């Protein structure tokens, strides 16, 4: 269970200084190797589809489509870490290199630089802060508090329940990432012109081979974002004992230490969270650390000792919040944060809380009416 006591500022500063040293160890090998492997798998998948379309009978096409879909999802999962790092300008030594590489793989995620950096930076800046209106962002699930839910209008409650309580993203993971990027291409046509042209070329190439190939690529795009949404976004912030604070009780470092979890998944699923998901606490404190340095930072952080002004020694970093697959499945029901009881709750508990509040409100109304009637009777007797 997390603490709501703020970490002393001296300790927070020490944590920030320690992690800053891992920003500078940048390299080309890992991200470029993943991009090269992605190109090989994507090219092989497209060639397999094109060859099968012209040389095999239709009875083979369902099997071919399954194989192609598998490799298209694998391509996107493989390069999620580099794409994520490019957006933070942390993977490669210079900003322009990060931007160019982000642009190159952007069709695989249908993501523009402007949309990703704006939404994702907002998420890092305000996550787990109940008071910050920006904290209710698209990249954090169960982002409303129970109090805010109660105050919302009925139709907003229904929309929020569909989005966070029933579908857990679903279509909305597509909306938050893909559709919003499409909208940004329309609203900022000059800024996003390179992305618009690249997206058109990418899908026109597939459509020219076969419309079904283009549709298959789009299906795998939405499917991949849904898995990323659940494993890398929901699982790392919405978990039992997670940290939420408000006002002066919230700090950026504590939000990373206690409000970000390391998702522990079976090996085939780890690519959907990446290194940033497996070492999410460190990533949230310093997003400029490349994902390929997070493991090293995590291992060395366990050896750091902090000595306070009284000479007392303790570990610099608290134990990491670990979320396993079974716990992640349970957390999928979490919908809002109940600040009075300091926990995330699901739709059933939200309905109970609303019913209790309505019943209490009716009781209070009856008491007021009884007092008013009693006062009126006394007044008439006098």
């Amino acid at each position: 269970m997390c603490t709501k006591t703020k970490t002393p500022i001296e300790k927070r500063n020490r944590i920030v200084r320690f992690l800053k040293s891992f920003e500078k160890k940048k390299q080309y090998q890992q991200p470029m190797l993943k991009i090269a492997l992605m190109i090989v798998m994507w090219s092989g998948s497209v060639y397999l589809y094109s060859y099968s379309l012209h040389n095999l009978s239709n009875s083979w096409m369902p099997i071919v489509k399954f194989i192609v879909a598998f490799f298209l999802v694998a391509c996107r999962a493989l390069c999620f870490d580099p794409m994520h790092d490019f957006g933070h300008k942390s993977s490669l030594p210079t900003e322009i290199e990060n931007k160019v590489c982000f642009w190159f793989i952007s069709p695989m995620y249908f993501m523009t630089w402007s949309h990703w950096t704006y939404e994702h930076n907002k998420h890092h800046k305000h996550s787990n802060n109940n008071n910050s209106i920006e904290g209710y962002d698209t990249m954090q699930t169960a982002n409303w508090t129970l109090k805010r839910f109660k105050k919302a209008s009925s139709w907003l409650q229904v929309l929020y329940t569909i989005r966070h309580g029933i579908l857990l993203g679903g279509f909305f993971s597509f909306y938050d990432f893909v559709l919003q990027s499409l909208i940004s291409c329309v609203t900022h046509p000059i800024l996003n012109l390179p992305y618009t042209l690249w997206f058109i070329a990418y899908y026109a190439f597939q459509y020219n081979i076969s419309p079904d190939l283009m549709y298959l690529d789009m299906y795998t795009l939405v499917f991949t974002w849904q898995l990323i949404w659940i494993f890398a976004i929901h699982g790392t912030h919405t978990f039992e004992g997670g940290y939420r604070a408000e006002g002066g009780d919230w700090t950026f470092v504590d939000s990373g230490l206690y409000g970000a979890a390391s998702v522990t998944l079976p090996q085939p699923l780890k690519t959907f969270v990446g290194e940033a998901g497996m070492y999410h606490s460190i990533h949230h404190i310093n997003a400029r650390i490349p994902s390929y340095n997070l493991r090293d930072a995590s291992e060395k952080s366990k050896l750091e000792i902090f000595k306070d002004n009284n000479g007392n020694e303790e570990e610099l970093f608290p134990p990491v919040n670990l979320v396993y697959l079974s716990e992640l499945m349970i957390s999928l029901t979490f919908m809002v944060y109940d600040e009075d009881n300091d926990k995330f709750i699901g739709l059933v508990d939200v309905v109970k809380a609303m019913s209790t509040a309505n019943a209490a409100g009716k009781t209070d109304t009856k008491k007021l009416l009884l007092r008013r009637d009693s006062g009126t009777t006394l007044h008439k007797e006098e």
Side-chain angles (χ1 to χ4, degrees), residues 200-230:
I200 292 172
Y202 177 81
Y203 284 108
F205 175 77
Q206 291 180 330
Y207 187 87
N208 187 55
I209 295 174
S210 169
D212 285 347
L213 175 60
M214 184 187 75
Y215 299 142
L216 184 64
D217 186 272
M218 290 179 174
Y219 296 149
T220 59
L221 169 68
V222 177
F223 177 73
T224 306
W225 269 124
Q226 183 61 25
L227 293 180
I228 292 171
W229 178 276
I230 292 174

Side-chain angles (χ1 to χ4, degrees), residues 102-148:
F102 185 95
W103 170 82
F104 179 75
I105 65 173
S106 61
M108 296 298 295
Y109 304 93
F110 208 91
M111 183 64 60
T112 61
W113 176 273
S114 60
H115 173 60
W116 174 260
T117 53
Y118 173 74
E119 291 294 344
H120 203 60
N121 289 341
K122 185 175 72 171
H123 165 70
H124 272 263
K125 186 177 180 181
H126 299 287
S127 61
N128 303 311
N129 188 344
N130 289 336
N131 276 81
S132 174
I133 188 64
E134 292 85 2
Y136 299 111
D137 58 73
T138 59
M139 292 191 180
Q140 186 167 352
T141 59
N143 45 20
W144 278 13
T145 62
L146 182 58
K147 288 180 180 177
R148 175 166 178 165

Side-chain angles (χ1 to χ4, degrees), residues 5-22:
T5 304
K6 286 199 296 187
T7 302
I9 189 169
E10 297 85 2
K11 190 173 183 180
R12 278 183 272 146
N13 291 338
R14 170 80 183 284
I15 289 172
V16 170
R17 289 196 301 270
F18 169 77
L19 293 178
K20 194 168 182 63
S21 63
F22 294 92

Side-chain angles (χ1 to χ4, degrees), residues 78-115:
L78 176 69
C79 277
F80 176 67
D81 253 347
M83 186 276 290
H84 177 258
D85 284 357
F86 296 148
H88 281 298
K89 297 178 283 190
S90 64
S91 186
L92 300 175
T94 67
E95 180 175 334
I96 188 64
E97 289 172 326
N98 284 287
K99 285 187 174 182
V100 169
C101 287
F102 185 95
W103 170 82
F104 179 75
I105 65 173
S106 61
M108 296 298 295
Y109 304 93
F110 208 91
M111 183 64 60
T112 61
W113 176 273
S114 60
H115 173 60

Side-chain angles (χ1 to χ4, degrees), residues 27-42 74-83 85-86 91 104-105 108-109 270-276 278 291-292 295:
Q27 55 178 273
Y28 291 95
Q29 293 91 333
Q30 280 206 32
M32 293 299 102
L33 180 61
K34 286 187 175 182
I35 289 177
L37 185 56
M38 180 203 75
I39 293 172
V40 171
M41 289 197 299
W42 184 87
C75 285
R76 292 182 166 100
L78 176 69
C79 277
F80 176 67
D81 253 347
M83 186 276 290
D85 284 357
F86 296 148
S91 186
F104 179 75
I105 65 173
M108 296 298 295
Y109 304 93
K270 284 185 178 181
T271 52
F272 293 101
V273 299
E275 298 290 318
M278 289 187 282
S291 60
Y292 47 76
R295 184 191 299 271

Side-chain angles (χ1 to χ4, degrees), residues 1-3 5 7-8 11-12 15 19 243 253-260 262 281-282 285 298 301-306 314-322:
M1 191 74 179
C2 73
T3 177
T5 304
T7 302
K11 190 173 183 180
R12 278 183 272 146
I15 289 172
L19 293 178
Y243 168 92
V253 173
D254 284 330
S255 178
L257 290 175
Y258 304 109
S262 295
S281 178
I282 291 175
I285 298 172
S298 176
S301 69
K302 299 173 185 177
L303 306 176
E304 292 295 304
I305 301 297
F306 175 75
E314 60 182 63
E315 293 181 346
L316 180 62
F317 286 79
V320 176
N321 293 303
L322 296 177

